[in-house]
Amino acid sequence: DAKTTQPNSMESNEEEPVHLPCNHSTISGTDYIHWYRQLPSQGPEYVIHGLTSNVNNRMASLAIAEDRKSSTLILHRATLRDAAVYYCILRTPSQGAQKLVFGQGTRLTINP
Amino acid sequence: SQTIHQWPATLVQPVGSPLSLECTVEGTSNPNLYWYRQAAGRGLQLLFYSVGIGQISSEVPQNLSASRPQDRQFILSSKKLLLSDSGFYLCAWGPGLAAYNEQFFGPGTRLTVL
């Protein structure tokens, strides 16, 4: 999988928007951008994915740069439950079997 | 809807003892199945994956093994545990081979080897 770079940690306040950045300058044209999060003492949870266009779902929005070298996960109104480690992962079609390669992620702290 | 179960939730085992962790998936057929491990303070590492009954691929050489005796059952085993086998073991399933497919993780088993 192509490499991603994320800040080690970020902090935000409850009920405010959160923008989590991810750089993936070596992304190929067919790589999908996936985001997962892991709450304390739980397994990872799928959040969202995209290829070229911005994506929205009930959990978050994904904004993808026009050159696809970076993306931003947007939590529109953070709650305390959103405190977790967020992983940005690139998925390569040629790999097969959906292997996910987790980096260190961004630890998000939400202040009440 | 699909659900994934893992048991036990926690396990404390002595060095040299055997291990068997079980994972089952409900509500889907022919899933891809995965075992990951997360050591304390570290990221997730893929250990094994399976695309069908009896088909196991190993990602990391170690004293662990995996088996898939039924379509929706995935078992992680060891004949003799090492201290370094301690960690958080996660089973996951995925619906297909495409790069846009998600993976869905179980609640995990926290293993402590003493």
Side-chain angles (χ1 to χ4, degrees):
Chain A
D1 281 318
K3 194 173 176 65
T4 62
T5 304
Q6 299 177 253
N8 288 333
S9 62
M10 290 184 63
E11 199 169 324
S12 186
N13 297 319
E14 199 174 10
E15 298 188 3
E16 292 183 356
V18 180
H19 291 236
L20 295 161
C22 181
N23 288 320
H24 27 79
S25 59
T26 60
I27 191 171
S28 74
T30 54
D31 287 347
Y32 280 79
I33 302 160
H34 286 247
W35 284 82
Y36 286 74
R37 71 180 185 181
Q38 187 173 18
L39 279 65
S41 299
Q42 295 186 29
E45 176 186 29
Y46 165 79
V47 178
I48 201 167
H49 75 271
L51 182 62
T52 56
S53 304
N54 294 344
V55 184
N56 300 295
N57 66 20
R58 62 174 180 81
M59 291 181 68
S61 295
L62 176 60
I64 301 173
E66 195 169 337
D67 63 5
R68 301 207 330 124
K69 294 184 184 298
S70 66
S71 61
T72 302
L73 179 70
I74 303 166
L75 307 178
H76 294 286
R77 198 161 173 242
T79 68
L80 295 178
R81 196 193 171 280
D82 292 320
V85 178
Y86 286 78
Y87 298 97
C88 171
I89 299 169
L90 298 186
R91 299 294 328 287
T92 301
S94 61
Q95 271 198 323
Q98 298 180 257
K99 185 166 68 171
L100 288 176
V101 179
F102 287 82
Q104 294 303 306
T106 296
R107 183 172 299 278
L108 176 65
T109 301
I110 304 296
N111 300 314
Chain B
S1 65
Q2 301 86 7
T3 54
I4 180 168
H5 304 279
Q6 281 187 250
W7 63 91
T10 60
L11 192 59
V12 180
Q13 292 284 99
V15 168
S17 63
L19 173 74
S20 181
L21 303 180
E22 188 163 343
C23 169
T24 59
V25 181
E26 294 178 355
T28 187
S29 297
N30 196 31
N32 294 328
L33 296 173
Y34 307 83
W35 278 112
Y36 289 85
R37 177 173 62 198
Q38 187 172 35
R42 302 185 67 177
L44 277 79
Q45 179 186 41
L46 179 65
L47 302 175
F48 301 95
Y49 67 93
S50 171
V51 299
I53 296 174
Q55 299 179 61
I56 308 294
S57 296
S58 174
E59 289 289 309
V60 181
Q62 61 224 317
N63 70 323
L64 300 171
S65 62
S67 62
R68 184 170 178 175
Q70 300 181 42
D71 181 45
R72 290 170 289 176
Q73 184 185 30
F74 205 23
I75 297 172
L76 183 69
S77 303
S78 174
K79 292 182 180 177
K80 288 186 178 182
L81 284 169
L82 307 173
L83 286 174
S84 57
D85 291 324
S86 293
F88 191 36
Y89 287 82
L90 291 151
C91 181
W93 77 273
L97 298 179
Y100 52 77
N101 284 133
E102 313 91 325
Q103 281 188 19
F104 302 97
F105 288 79
T109 295
R110 195 163 299 280
L111 171 66
T112 303
V113 182
L114 300 175

